[in-house]
Amino acid sequence: LAYGACHLPSSPGWHSLDCATWRPRGGWRQRLRQRCLGEGLQLLAPQASQGATERFRLRTEAMGSVQLQLGVI
């Protein structure tokens, strides 16, 4: 379970994108539950991740990247 954001191309054609992903980093109890029970942390207010100034307040950890193949008309 992870969140990510990337810019979509506006020019037509096939595009390959790499979208960096991240997830919220909780306290030690939440991380233990996540590791043992497989529970994922979710943002209580997803709109907090939309603005750059609010996003810097979040404690997060990197989760890798997703490769996307898009066809734009």
Side-chain angles (χ1 to χ4, degrees), residues 39-56:
E39 293 180 354
L41 294 175
Q42 294 183 356
L43 293 175
L44 295 177
Q47 62 273 17
S49 66
Q50 293 174 356
T53 56
E54 292 86 10
R55 194 177 317 150
F56 287 117

Side-chain angles (χ1 to χ4, degrees), residues 1-3 22-26 34 41-43 59-61:
L1 178 65
Y3 297 91
W22 54 273
R23 69 177 175 195
R25 181 178 172 94
Q34 185 176 19
L41 294 175
Q42 294 183 356
L43 293 175
R59 292 180 49 197
T60 63
E61 59 187 350

